[in-house]
Amino acid sequence: MFKQLLLSIKQLWFGLWSFNPKFPVRWMLVILFVGIFLEFLASDKPIVAKVEGSWYMPAIGNTLFEVGLNKRYNTIRRYKWSKHDAFMIMPLVPYASTSIDLKNASFKGPFDEQNYTSIRYRHWLGTDKIGRDVLAGLLNGCRVVLKIIFLVGIISGFLGLILGGFSGFYGDDMIRWSLSKLLVYSFGGILFAYVSYMLLKLQILESSQLELSTLLLAFLIPVLGYVIVGLLHKLVFANRLDVRLSIPTITIPLDSMFYFVIVLLTALPVTVMLLAILSYFQTPSLVLTMSLFGLVLWKGIARIVRGEVLRVKGEDYIEAARQLGLKSGQIFWKHIYPNIRKQFYVVVATVVSLSLLIESALSFLGIGMAVGEISWGVLLNQGKLNISAYWLSLFPGILLVITVYSLNTIAKEGKRRN
Amino acid sequence: MYSRILKRILLFYPTLFVLSIFLFMLKEAAVGDEVLSLCGGEIDVQDQIYQDCVRAYKLDKPSFYISVTPPFVDTEALASVFPEGRRSTFEKLLYACGDWDLVAKFDKQINEQFRVIEGLDADRIIALKSIKSTYFRGIGLDEMEGVIESLAQIFPLVDLEELTKGFKGIKGIKPGIWHYRPSIDFHGLDNRFHAWWRSAIVFDFGQSFRGRSVNALIKGSVKYTLLLNLIAFILSIISALGFVLFVSARSPRIQQKMDGLSSMLLAIPRFWLATLLIFFFANNILFPHLSFFKIGVAGSTSGVSSYFQYLGLPIFCLAFPIVILLYKLLRENINVELQKQYVQAARARGLTEKKIFRSYVLPNAINPLLTSIGSMFSRLLVGSVIIESIFFIPGLGGLLFDAFMSNDWPVLYALCFISGIMTLIGYILSDILYFLFDPKLRIGGLQNV
């Protein structure tokens, strides 16, 4: 078991320097593992403990409680586990990322003399200013990375695929709407935009801050509204009144509109915009920040998707599918999407690595980030306070570089294999 | 291709307009009481300075050309309610009851009551002031009840029946959804956005919240950023070309290793590199022999070597990612070009590998890079933010960082506006460069680039 562990570490180490594409995949698997099983690796509560004759799993108890699988045990919540002598199995790192060890505060290095009762409680990678364990922080950083990957990847990937796919698929001359449809839709759009604006305004006036649920509702209302407006238009106008009244048809330059939005997003200082939006929320959480990142980072994905759709659109089988009478949506999901899927994943990976860098840079500067969640950027920020505490800037930096490198390499490898 | 460049140039102004609308919206949303921030400190609404400031910056005007509000809101009248907190309270009451006259009357009465200080002892004046500040903080209906009760305690002899009646009237109305229907008002050119945009378009960004004018601040710091970035950019182009020439002449195995290493070096963020460099080369305590470099800005009387001491590390940090990126892109392009048939033809004609590489492959590989110069041009400011704030250089990036930290929104939006313009110009510039250097496009091939 130990030998195997040593072997896999050796493989990882040599894989790193052979620039083998296998290494990045393994590294991301390591991050995935640590991110998921964080509580078993680093926690100030034991994994398994026997208190007064009954068994508990305090390390994951809180998480289980949040999911709803567990009830809160008030008896063991406030135990000082490091002083307790009941039977228990502590995790490998007996500190949580946020637990404060005042005995070893003010930048204790890995080789400095430390104040501990048992060697298991040593801070192997040192502590920061208020005595938080760096190793536990690094492990918690893996979970932050996972959160960023999933949130930014899913949100920006979805937006990029839909918007880029639409503009590539329909181009400048494929959408022909009758004037009635255009009017009904734009009227509906303005109306529902007003409704969600009013909703947000009333909420801000009432409680002087935004809530996530209201924001979601404000996004959902226009979408729902468009569905209703579309149905209404179909019932009243489509194919009947349009023809009878000979209402003219208008071509909508979707692609040009898309181009305009892309240029605008490039010229906008996205980060400043995000921070200004974040200043509305009293407690910015990591999830919120990353969701907002996802909402603005779809630009690159949409561009690539558009190009790929343009490439695939001219193929014969698309024309054949069209002649067979398939609808646009069917053609897109059954014939185009499988052909652009790989390129799509590649560009999502690059965007995710970019967002990792942005998050760490913002945390490093100490702006706009959530309090209480230790990421690699937060540790780097702590290292900025004391330039001689190299352990605070060296280790998280190395992990960050390797992770970004891995994501980039996976993306590059995916591009090469296409 | 001509049409493409023309399209970009024609799109410049509409894009700039929408961009400034965005920036203005953010500014409106983020800034609290602009007058207090501009003048600094505690000023009363009654003061002459306050009124002058309001008039000078047209702050009592509606914010945009048109406004879409519920019909009971009179936007122009609402904009002239000062200070900001009073307007906020006014708005809260207004949206809760949906009757302009009631709220206006109530607001007028309660503000007149605030002004009455005759016959009050010191304690009561202080209590009155605290209530006033509560009211001017922007409060809703539920807190208003407490305010009126405290007013009644302060003025036991005065009959506050009118006020209570007004408040009960406001509280009694529960408007239906129909009352919130949209109505559109037009305000003409006399609005805040128009004033802001008209002065921003000629690069006059007004007053910063820290006393000096934004233009003076930018003028004072633009030289550092330009100097740093110019040197870094030139150095990085030269060294990237040098690396490419060096590596391309080695064996394929070394080429492969170097390419792998470059993709790893590309993942190094600038700020981490800066931290490490400072740790090793500007650390008098741990490495006194290595610490040649210094952090900050050189004095005006110092020589060239001292300039190098101060600027060496930041220039290196700025140039490093650009070098790696240019190296990678060039290597990829060279690998693509080497597969093409004209290289084989040149070999068949008996040209040497060196000649082929220098006069055929390299120029063709450099051409596509010209487009990315535009985007690099625009990222200049963003890249400088971190480096300048780490090395304490008072350039534009440092200015942006400080402005963000002290909520100095005029400076922030001026810088965003400038960087937006630079991005748009960079776009047009890269198109023109592409057009000049690639004869394929001039003839009109490649419609969808």
Side-chain angles (χ1 to χ4, degrees):
Chain A
M1 166 85 183
F2 181 70
K3 216 172 174 181
Q4 235 164 18
L5 191 74
L6 211 66
L7 198 71
S8 57
I9 289 174
K10 211 167 140 189
Q11 267 179 355
L12 264 179
W13 178 249
F14 284 110
L16 177 63
W17 295 111
S18 66
F19 305 114
N20 189 330
K22 269 183 192 161
F23 167 76
V25 178
R26 280 185 198 148
W27 178 258
M28 291 323 288
L29 285 178
V30 169
I31 298 250
L32 188 71
F33 178 80
V34 174
I36 291 173
F37 297 107
L38 173 71
E39 275 86 5
F40 295 106
L41 295 171
S43 172
D44 51 355
K45 299 187 178 100
I47 301 172
V48 179
K50 190 179 182 185
V51 179
E52 291 157 11
S54 46
W55 293 89
Y56 297 97
M57 292 179 80
I60 57 165
N62 209 18
T63 320
L64 286 181
F65 172 76
E66 274 166 19
V67 184
L69 291 174
N70 195 2
K71 55 183 188 292
R72 209 184 267 290
Y73 297 110
N74 278 319
T75 46
I76 61 160
R77 257 178 76 203
R78 303 211 181 282
Y79 266 169
K80 281 256 178 210
W81 291 104
S82 53
K83 284 173 190 156
H84 203 70
D85 52 355
F87 172 78
M88 57 187 178
I89 302 172
M90 285 300 275
L92 211 57
V93 182
Y95 295 101
S97 60
T98 47
S99 57
I100 296 165
D101 183 5
L102 285 175
K103 283 181 296 179
N104 291 312
S106 70
F107 304 108
K108 282 276 169 22
F111 306 110
D112 292 355
E113 196 148 305
Q114 290 178 3
N115 190 356
Y116 48 79
T117 46
S118 141
I119 191 85
R120 278 184 46 64
Y121 286 91
R122 194 183 159 79
H123 300 276
W124 292 103
L125 293 185
T127 61
D128 69 352
K129 193 178 176 188
I130 52 174
R132 288 177 294 196
D133 190 54
V134 172
L135 184 53
L138 290 182
L139 293 176
N140 193 62
C142 294
R143 175 164 283 185
V144 173
V145 166
L146 269 197
K147 278 182 188 171
I148 293 172
I149 287 177
F150 280 108
L151 276 172
V152 174
I154 287 173
I155 294 177
S156 65
F158 179 76
L159 280 177
L161 186 65
I162 296 293
L163 295 172
F166 257 91
S167 82
F169 188 72
Y170 289 112
D172 259 349
D173 46 5
M174 277 260 297
I175 294 190
R176 295 169 160 276
W177 280 4
S178 66
L179 194 61
S180 69
K181 194 173 179 181
L182 187 69
L183 284 176
V184 166
Y185 267 76
S186 45
F187 178 73
I190 292 170
L191 188 69
F192 286 105
Y194 176 78
V195 170
S196 38
Y197 163 73
M198 220 50 226
L199 203 72
L200 287 177
K201 175 120 192 169
L202 286 176
Q203 151 96 69
I204 290 177
L205 282 179
E206 198 175 316
S207 59
S208 69
Q209 61 154 322
L210 270 178
E211 270 161 29
L212 198 56
S213 53
T214 324
L215 203 64
L216 275 179
L217 203 64
F219 273 116
L220 276 178
I221 282 178
V223 175
L224 272 178
Y226 260 92
V227 174
I228 294 169
V229 162
L231 282 177
L232 271 180
H233 175 265
K234 238 179 195 167
L235 281 178
V236 179
F237 280 101
N239 301 331
R240 273 170 273 147
L241 271 181
D242 276 352
V243 176
R244 199 170 296 163
L245 301 176
S246 64
I247 293 173
T249 322
I250 290 170
T251 315
I252 294 177
L254 191 71
D255 208 22
S256 298
M257 282 154 69
F258 172 77
Y259 173 78
F260 185 73
V261 173
I262 291 281
V263 171
L264 200 68
L265 269 183
T266 321
L268 258 185
V270 171
T271 323
V272 175
M273 204 172 95
L274 270 186
L275 296 173
I277 295 171
L278 275 179
S279 68
Y280 261 97
F281 295 87
Q282 276 178 352
T283 50
S285 67
L286 186 85
V287 174
L288 179 75
T289 317
M290 285 304 123
S291 317
L292 285 176
F293 267 137
L295 282 181
V296 290
L297 283 177
W298 53 268
K299 181 183 69 188
I301 300 174
R303 236 149 96 174
I304 299 291
V305 167
R306 175 182 165 275
E308 290 299 319
V309 171
L310 277 180
R311 182 179 62 81
V312 175
K313 205 173 78 171
E315 302 275 342
D316 287 341
Y317 55 83
I318 305 292
E319 190 52 36
R322 222 186 280 276
Q323 297 299 334
L324 280 172
L326 261 67
K327 282 178 186 162
S328 303
Q330 283 172 322
I331 294 176
F332 186 77
W333 290 111
K334 283 190 182 161
H335 295 279
I336 293 183
Y337 176 67
N339 283 308
I340 64 165
R341 202 173 53 200
K342 276 183 184 169
Q343 287 88 335
F344 172 63
Y345 290 155
V346 164
V347 69
V348 168
T350 29
V351 164
V352 163
S353 79
L354 179 73
S355 67
L356 273 184
L357 281 178
I358 296 178
E359 191 270 340
S360 58
L362 285 181
S363 307
F364 176 75
L365 290 177
I367 36 183
M369 280 297 128
V371 189
E373 183 102 52
I374 309 290
S375 69
W376 296 337
V378 173
L379 288 176
L380 286 168
N381 182 32
Q382 293 279 320
K384 199 173 67 166
L385 296 177
N386 182 358
I387 209 78
S388 298
Y390 62 90
W391 55 92
L392 278 168
S393 33
L394 193 66
F395 303 124
I398 289 174
L399 290 188
L400 182 66
V401 168
I402 294 179
T403 311
V404 172
Y405 162 75
S406 301
L407 281 169
N408 286 344
T409 313
I410 288 170
K412 201 181 81 187
E413 211 38 44
K415 208 189 274 176
R416 200 175 62 80
R417 285 192 188 168
N418 281 320
Chain B
M1 196 58 206
Y2 282 116
S3 70
R4 192 180 142 118
I5 293 177
L6 196 70
K7 199 170 145 192
R8 288 235 155 135
I9 294 175
L10 281 181
L11 269 178
F12 180 78
Y13 272 96
T15 322
L16 200 61
F17 186 71
V18 180
L19 177 77
S20 31
I21 288 180
F22 261 110
L23 285 179
F24 185 75
M25 269 162 57
L26 284 183
K27 174 171 164 284
E28 289 289 297
V31 180
D33 197 334
E34 207 170 333
V35 187
L36 290 189
S37 307
L38 277 168
C39 303
E42 295 270 316
I43 335 168
D44 202 66
V45 200
Q46 253 66 45
D47 286 354
Q48 191 59 38
I49 308 172
Y50 199 103
Q51 302 292 341
D52 286 349
C53 190
V54 165
R55 228 164 292 134
Y57 286 91
K58 290 197 174 180
L59 293 176
D60 53 348
K61 297 286 184 281
S63 58
F64 199 59
Y65 301 107
I66 54 171
S67 62
V68 184
T69 49
F72 53 78
V73 182
D74 182 354
T75 314
E76 284 177 43
L78 187 66
S80 59
V81 176
F82 272 96
E84 175 88 17
R86 182 175 163 198
R87 192 189 314 148
S88 164
T89 309
F90 196 100
E91 230 181 337
K92 277 178 185 174
L93 297 182
L94 187 61
Y95 275 88
C97 79
D99 191 328
W100 177 274
D101 294 336
L102 272 181
V103 178
K105 200 174 154 201
F106 175 76
D107 183 66
K108 199 179 162 199
Q109 279 170 354
I110 203 164
N111 274 289
E112 272 168 6
Q113 202 63 49
F114 285 146
R115 241 169 274 158
V116 178
I117 44 170
E118 282 168 31
L120 287 180
D121 51 11
D123 286 350
R124 285 189 178 166
I125 289 178
I126 291 170
L128 187 66
K129 270 194 177 166
S130 85
I131 294 170
K132 192 177 162 186
S133 67
T134 315
Y135 186 84
F136 281 9
R137 208 184 56 219
I139 52 174
L141 270 176
D142 30 343
E143 277 176 275
M144 189 60 74
E145 221 156 337
V147 166
I148 290 174
E149 270 171 27
S150 340
L151 264 184
Q153 280 171 11
I154 293 172
F155 303 102
L157 303 176
V158 185
D159 193 12
L160 291 175
E161 201 182 332
E162 283 278 299
L163 214 57
T164 335
K165 226 164 79 185
F167 179 64
K168 270 184 185 153
I170 289 170
K171 213 179 170 189
I173 303 175
K174 286 275 179 290
I177 285 181
W178 178 243
H179 283 268
Y180 294 101
R181 68 190 180 273
S183 76
I184 304 173
D185 300 321
F186 295 91
H187 307 300
L189 294 181
D190 196 16
N191 60 55
R192 285 208 297 281
F193 174 73
H194 191 73
W196 187 75
W197 147 261
R198 258 185 65 186
S199 53
I201 204 87
V202 292
F203 298 106
D204 173 19
F205 296 107
Q207 206 75 14
S208 90
F209 289 170
R210 281 174 291 179
R212 296 175 64 193
S213 82
V214 179
N215 282 25
L217 282 174
I218 291 176
K219 210 179 267 177
S221 52
V222 73
K223 56 186 177 195
Y224 295 100
T225 305
L226 273 186
L227 180 74
L228 276 180
N229 282 290
L230 215 65
I231 297 175
F233 203 65
I234 292 168
L235 278 182
S236 56
I237 287 176
I238 293 171
S239 47
L241 270 176
F243 278 131
V244 165
L245 288 177
F246 177 77
V247 171
S248 301
R250 307 292 131 179
S251 69
R253 193 183 137 76
I254 291 181
Q255 286 185 13
Q256 207 185 340
K257 287 274 171 199
M258 289 303 288
D259 290 353
L261 190 68
S262 76
S263 53
M264 175 156 266
L265 292 182
L266 192 65
I268 295 181
R270 268 180 181 147
F271 62 87
W272 187 55
L273 188 71
T275 321
L276 286 190
L277 287 177
I278 290 175
F279 176 69
F280 283 115
F281 299 113
N283 193 338
N284 270 322
I285 307 159
L286 282 182
F287 306 102
H289 303 297
L290 278 177
S291 67
F292 169 71
F293 293 101
K294 287 180 179 141
I295 294 172
V297 183
S300 53
T301 54
S302 45
V304 178
S305 80
S306 136
Y307 271 111
F308 181 65
Q309 273 187 334
Y310 283 103
L311 295 182
L313 289 184
I315 286 176
F316 183 80
C317 290
L318 280 174
F320 183 78
I322 304 179
V323 173
I324 306 289
L325 190 69
L326 282 179
Y327 170 84
K328 260 187 84 68
L329 291 174
L330 263 178
R331 286 285 307 161
E332 272 169 24
N333 288 342
I334 284 170
N335 284 338
V336 170
E337 292 293 323
L338 277 176
Q339 308 289 326
K340 287 193 177 161
Q341 283 182 339
Y342 70 87
V343 177
Q344 278 183 4
R347 271 188 202 133
R349 268 160 51 211
L351 294 179
T352 58
E353 282 295 319
K354 205 174 175 181
K355 171 83 178 161
I356 294 172
F357 186 76
R358 298 227 165 144
S359 50
Y360 288 84
V361 175
L362 203 57
N364 277 330
I366 290 176
N367 264 348
L369 284 190
L370 291 170
T371 41
S372 55
I373 286 180
S375 59
M376 280 176 187
F377 189 59
S378 61
R379 268 182 236 147
L380 218 122
L381 183 66
V382 182
S384 316
V385 171
I386 293 174
I387 294 300
E388 285 176 4
S389 70
I390 293 175
F391 288 102
F392 299 109
I393 296 165
L396 284 184
L399 191 67
L400 183 69
F401 182 72
D402 288 346
F404 190 84
M405 284 320 232
S406 56
N407 284 340
D408 196 347
W409 296 97
V411 176
L412 209 60
Y413 290 122
L415 288 175
C416 291
F417 193 76
I418 290 171
S419 94
I421 288 179
M422 267 168 51
T423 313
L424 293 179
I425 292 175
Y427 254 62
I428 295 172
L429 208 70
S430 69
D431 257 15
I432 293 173
L433 277 178
Y434 208 29
F435 178 69
L436 282 179
F437 281 88
D438 203 340
K440 262 186 287 181
L441 292 178
R442 242 175 295 168
I443 310 169
L446 232 69
Q447 287 301 318
N448 274 312
V449 183

